[in-house]
Amino acid sequence: MIRILLVLIVLLIDRSTLLALENGQEVSKEGRPAPNGKNEVPPVIDPDASPALSFEITPRLSVGAKIEINFLRRINRDLDRAEEDDRIDTEASLDLAAQLILTKDILFFVDLDFSDERLFRDGEGQAERETKGQFDRLYLLWERFFSPSLDLQVGRQRFNDAREWLYDEELDAVRLFYTQAPFDLELSASTNLLDPEGPEEKIRNYVLYGTYQFGRKEKISVYVVAQRDPTDEERNPNFVGLLWRGKAIEDQKYWLEIASLSGREDSTRLSGYAFDFAWTSEFDLPLEPSVTIGYAFGSGDPEPEDGVDRNFRQTGLQDNEAKFNGVRKFKYYGELFDPELSNMRIRTLGFGIIPFEKFSFDVVFHSYSLVYSGVELRDTGIREDPSGTSKNLGKEVDLIVGFKMTPEMLLEVSTAAFVPGKAFPGAGNAYSGEVTIRVSF
């Protein structure tokens, strides 16, 4: 363990009401901050939020901009010490956003992102480079759409649930929001029309998501997600789930998410389930320490040849990112291994401190095991499949730092080490380190 921590340190050294996520507000939907009082914890750094609209050109037109620089180094993701598999990814991006108020209830919003990405592989002298521009947001929002409680949003917009367990994706959609305290209801149909890169991105998503808030700090959400593949009529996964989030107990926060999977994929019937539970305890001590424990389970398939696939899988739109008690979100299943919750058990233990406002430091440990031994992983951050001889996939330790240095400048640093288990005989450790700087204007 000491050796792993040393490697992580080496990696560290080596290398205006719309979408106000950067300033710490919780957003119920794009276009309107959710009603909430003063934050009791540092504001959350959301890397996917649009730039704050800092400049008012006219009373109806506001604009904003954000620059982001990202450096990511990954080492030995194929778990093979004999082969070079190290890579460095760099990205510089400029994000421009504008809001035009058309009428008292109707506004137009656009967010255009320009990026320059470069990939360096060990053993190769020349970098791979991609420069592109794309719309992250391009929508019309009609508030009080024929009713004070109803809003309509049409166009490219961001879909993200509280834990990004279902989705965190920019999709082209028609979306209705109904808000009548203490209830919120969302109904949408979405896909990728502007820039699909493959058949997977053309899947149609139909979502019904309802939330009931009781008391000041408890929320229960229920949802149905139906996916349809226009290129394959026999592919139609359906998700039904429940999410309970709360912090009614002083200095305690918790979540429980339960979901089932049904439908068909070709000639196979889908029948899986999953749950994810975590609890964070905060302590009224110097540095505001906190401890988080978590357990996640995604069902596996004991009989692969019986015509029923009991492996749970997520929607394919998920990011699995949230925060525990600190400033920034991170991948709560592991910054490096980062698995999809399918045929897997994940045990998590996290420790965090807040040395001063808008700065947090987290150390998070994960342990991974298969529900049923197999030779494939559905989706992970490593490039090797298990041997099928053991359920023990391995362990990971992550170090995560978030620091809002000024109201306009954010710094994120993370490192990770994955230690393979017996499911990868003879495998070597994998490592990653990432630094991101964001500047808003």
Side-chain angles (χ1 to χ4, degrees), residues 14-15 31 153 227 240 262 266 293 316 439:
D14 185 51
R15 40 159 285 188
Q153 192 169 357
Q227 296 185 311
V240 178
S262 61
D266 298 324
I293 57 171
V439 181

PDB file of all heavy atoms in Angstrom, residues 14-15 31 153 227 240 262 266 293 316 439:
ATOM      1  N   ASP A  14       4.059  14.785 -11.615  1.00  0.00           N
ATOM      2  CA  ASP A  14       4.431  14.662 -13.025  1.00  0.00           C
ATOM      3  C   ASP A  14       3.455  15.402 -13.937  1.00  0.00           C
ATOM      4  O   ASP A  14       3.709  15.681 -15.050  1.00  0.00           O
ATOM      5  CB  ASP A  14       4.512  13.170 -13.394  1.00  0.00           C
ATOM      6  CG  ASP A  14       5.009  12.931 -14.790  1.00  0.00           C
ATOM      7  OD1 ASP A  14       6.049  13.483 -15.135  1.00  0.00           O
ATOM      8  OD2 ASP A  14       4.333  12.193 -15.520  1.00  0.00           O
ATOM      9  N   ARG A  15       2.966  15.497 -13.592  1.00  0.00           N
ATOM     10  CA  ARG A  15       2.070  16.078 -14.598  1.00  0.00           C
ATOM     11  C   ARG A  15       1.106  17.317 -14.199  1.00  0.00           C
ATOM     12  O   ARG A  15       1.667  18.133 -13.617  1.00  0.00           O
ATOM     13  CB  ARG A  15       1.201  14.985 -15.007  1.00  0.00           C
ATOM     14  CG  ARG A  15       0.834  14.170 -13.816  1.00  0.00           C
ATOM     15  CD  ARG A  15      -0.346  13.416 -14.019  1.00  0.00           C
ATOM     16  NE  ARG A  15      -1.486  14.276 -13.950  1.00  0.00           N
ATOM     17  CZ  ARG A  15      -2.709  13.867 -13.946  1.00  0.00           C
ATOM     18  NH1 ARG A  15      -2.949  12.687 -14.185  1.00  0.00           N
ATOM     19  NH2 ARG A  15      -3.683  14.615 -13.818  1.00  0.00           N
ATOM     20  N   GLY A  31     -32.212  26.041 -17.192  1.00  0.00           N
ATOM     21  CA  GLY A  31     -33.010  27.233 -17.389  1.00  0.00           C
ATOM     22  C   GLY A  31     -33.559  27.817 -16.111  1.00  0.00           C
ATOM     23  O   GLY A  31     -33.920  28.972 -16.090  1.00  0.00           O
ATOM     24  N   GLN A 153     -39.290  22.407 -22.955  1.00  0.00           N
ATOM     25  CA  GLN A 153     -37.927  22.624 -23.415  1.00  0.00           C
ATOM     26  C   GLN A 153     -37.695  21.750 -24.653  1.00  0.00           C
ATOM     27  O   GLN A 153     -37.890  20.533 -24.610  1.00  0.00           O
ATOM     28  CB  GLN A 153     -36.928  22.264 -22.303  1.00  0.00           C
ATOM     29  CG  GLN A 153     -35.517  22.711 -22.580  1.00  0.00           C
ATOM     30  CD  GLN A 153     -34.625  22.571 -21.346  1.00  0.00           C
ATOM     31  OE1 GLN A 153     -35.101  22.187 -20.268  1.00  0.00           O
ATOM     32  NE2 GLN A 153     -33.366  22.883 -21.495  1.00  0.00           N
ATOM     33  N   GLN A 227     -35.915   2.407 -23.677  1.00  0.00           N
ATOM     34  CA  GLN A 227     -35.011   2.667 -24.791  1.00  0.00           C
ATOM     35  C   GLN A 227     -35.414   1.823 -25.992  1.00  0.00           C
ATOM     36  O   GLN A 227     -35.709   0.628 -25.846  1.00  0.00           O
ATOM     37  CB  GLN A 227     -33.557   2.380 -24.395  1.00  0.00           C
ATOM     38  CG  GLN A 227     -33.046   3.305 -23.292  1.00  0.00           C
ATOM     39  CD  GLN A 227     -31.574   3.082 -22.989  1.00  0.00           C
ATOM     40  OE1 GLN A 227     -31.128   1.953 -22.801  1.00  0.00           O
ATOM     41  NE2 GLN A 227     -30.810   4.161 -22.943  1.00  0.00           N
ATOM     42  N   VAL A 240     -36.888   0.484 -14.538  1.00  0.00           N
ATOM     43  CA  VAL A 240     -37.798   1.047 -13.547  1.00  0.00           C
ATOM     44  C   VAL A 240     -37.021   1.153 -12.246  1.00  0.00           C
ATOM     45  O   VAL A 240     -36.368   0.189 -11.824  1.00  0.00           O
ATOM     46  CB  VAL A 240     -39.048   0.167 -13.342  1.00  0.00           C
ATOM     47  CG1 VAL A 240     -39.951   0.765 -12.269  1.00  0.00           C
ATOM     48  CG2 VAL A 240     -39.804  -0.003 -14.657  1.00  0.00           C
ATOM     49  N   SER A 262     -35.783  -4.898 -17.701  1.00  0.00           N
ATOM     50  CA  SER A 262     -36.609  -5.874 -18.407  1.00  0.00           C
ATOM     51  C   SER A 262     -36.543  -5.553 -19.906  1.00  0.00           C
ATOM     52  O   SER A 262     -35.846  -4.636 -20.332  1.00  0.00           O
ATOM     53  CB  SER A 262     -38.060  -5.832 -17.916  1.00  0.00           C
ATOM     54  OG  SER A 262     -38.625  -4.554 -18.149  1.00  0.00           O
ATOM     55  N   ASP A 266     -32.497  -8.899 -29.004  1.00  0.00           N
ATOM     56  CA  ASP A 266     -32.571  -9.971 -30.003  1.00  0.00           C
ATOM     57  C   ASP A 266     -33.531 -11.045 -29.494  1.00  0.00           C
ATOM     58  O   ASP A 266     -34.647 -10.735 -29.129  1.00  0.00           O
ATOM     59  CB  ASP A 266     -31.169 -10.509 -30.309  1.00  0.00           C
ATOM     60  CG  ASP A 266     -30.270  -9.428 -30.896  1.00  0.00           C
ATOM     61  OD1 ASP A 266     -30.795  -8.592 -31.662  1.00  0.00           O
ATOM     62  OD2 ASP A 266     -29.071  -9.404 -30.596  1.00  0.00           O
ATOM     63  N   ILE A 293     -19.337   5.250   3.513  1.00  0.00           N
ATOM     64  CA  ILE A 293     -19.316   3.826   3.189  1.00  0.00           C
ATOM     65  C   ILE A 293     -20.360   3.584   2.105  1.00  0.00           C
ATOM     66  O   ILE A 293     -21.394   4.245   2.071  1.00  0.00           O
ATOM     67  CB  ILE A 293     -19.600   2.930   4.416  1.00  0.00           C
ATOM     68  CG1 ILE A 293     -20.945   3.291   5.053  1.00  0.00           C
ATOM     69  CG2 ILE A 293     -18.485   3.045   5.444  1.00  0.00           C
ATOM     70  CD1 ILE A 293     -21.390   2.315   6.134  1.00  0.00           C
ATOM     71  N   GLY A 316     -26.248   3.202 -20.596  1.00  0.00           N
ATOM     72  CA  GLY A 316     -25.268   3.588 -21.603  1.00  0.00           C
ATOM     73  C   GLY A 316     -25.078   5.088 -21.678  1.00  0.00           C
ATOM     74  O   GLY A 316     -24.182   5.570 -22.373  1.00  0.00           O
ATOM     75  N   VAL A 439     -11.355  28.148 -16.278  1.00  0.00           N
ATOM     76  CA  VAL A 439     -11.434  29.581 -16.030  1.00  0.00           C
ATOM     77  C   VAL A 439     -12.686  30.107 -16.708  1.00  0.00           C
ATOM     78  O   VAL A 439     -12.871  29.929 -17.918  1.00  0.00           O
ATOM     79  CB  VAL A 439     -10.194  30.325 -16.558  1.00  0.00           C
ATOM     80  CG1 VAL A 439     -10.298  31.814 -16.254  1.00  0.00           C
ATOM     81  CG2 VAL A 439      -8.915  29.749 -15.945  1.00  0.00           C
TER      82      VAL A 439
END
